[in-house]
Amino acid sequence: MIKHLNSYLEIATIPDKYTYTSPPKKANYLWTLLFGFLTGDLNPIHINPFTSKNYKSRLGGLARHGISTLAQAESFIFKIFSFTEPTEVISKGYNSIRYFKPVNMGDKITYSYTLLRKKVVEEKKYAECIWQIKGTNQKGVDTFVAEWVIIYSAI
């Protein structure tokens, strides 16, 4: 679902809830390994397939990097809005992130976006939104929740 907006001013009119389910293409080992090398997070729970098989990992298998799951959530929120006027979308960062359960290879995540607060500042030509993002796996189990601050600014 894409919500077409003319400018940042229309942020004041957007609904408070959106849902996006990750496409059928599931995370694979190569992408997780590459992410580990790019970020320096080479924890065996992410990249060593023997950890989960031979040592009976408590995580139930290879776990995706938590921050990569959040990055995917960020990419999907950009698919929700389309602006006809030039608009910058700027992440101010997270107020909080909490992981409940690991996202394992092959999990399909549904991302729920709830708008907690929105503020339009016309004299500075921007709108600020605080979104709660929640990830739920294909079994209906919540995997994480985060509070994310985004600025929508006129160019």
Side-chain angles (χ1 to χ4, degrees), residues 8 119-128 151-154:
Y8 75 95
K119 170 177 69 172
V120 175
V121 184
E122 288 187 53
E123 63 274 7
K124 294 189 178 182
K125 296 186 179 184
Y126 77 90
E128 180 177 291
I151 299 287
Y152 300 92
S153 176

Side-chain angles (χ1 to χ4, degrees), residues 86-139:
T87 303
E88 286 184 320
V89 182
I90 304 162
S91 173
K92 284 185 70 177
Y94 291 92
N95 290 337
S96 63
I97 301 170
R98 177 80 177 177
Y99 300 105
F100 303 120
K101 297 284 182 189
V103 174
N104 292 320
M105 293 298 133
D107 281 355
K108 187 174 182 178
I109 302 299
T110 297
Y111 297 95
S112 301
Y113 303 90
T114 303
L115 190 54
L116 301 177
R117 288 185 291 285
K118 56 188 169 184
K119 170 177 69 172
V120 175
V121 184
E122 288 187 53
E123 63 274 7
K124 294 189 178 182
K125 296 186 179 184
Y126 77 90
E128 180 177 291
C129 293
I130 300 177
W131 293 93
Q132 180 191 66
I133 305 172
K134 184 166 74 169
T136 306
N137 68 18
Q138 69 279 2
K139 297 175 185 174

Side-chain angles (χ1 to χ4, degrees), residues 137-150:
N137 68 18
Q138 69 279 2
K139 297 175 185 174
V141 176
D142 291 341
T143 58
F144 74 90
V145 66
E147 193 174 286
W148 186 31
V149 183
I150 301 177

Side-chain angles (χ1 to χ4, degrees), residues 22-29 31 64 105-108 138:
S22 61
K25 179 184 171 196
K26 299 173 182 173
N28 63 42
Y29 177 70
W31 281 110
R64 290 180 55 194
M105 293 298 133
D107 281 355
K108 187 174 182 178
Q138 69 279 2

Side-chain angles (χ1 to χ4, degrees), residues 66-85:
I67 200 68
S68 76
T69 306
L70 275 175
Q72 191 174 31
E74 288 183 23
S75 73
F76 292 146
I77 203 167
F78 296 124
K79 295 178 182 190
I80 293 173
F81 299 117
S82 168
F83 292 93
T84 56
E85 293 181 12

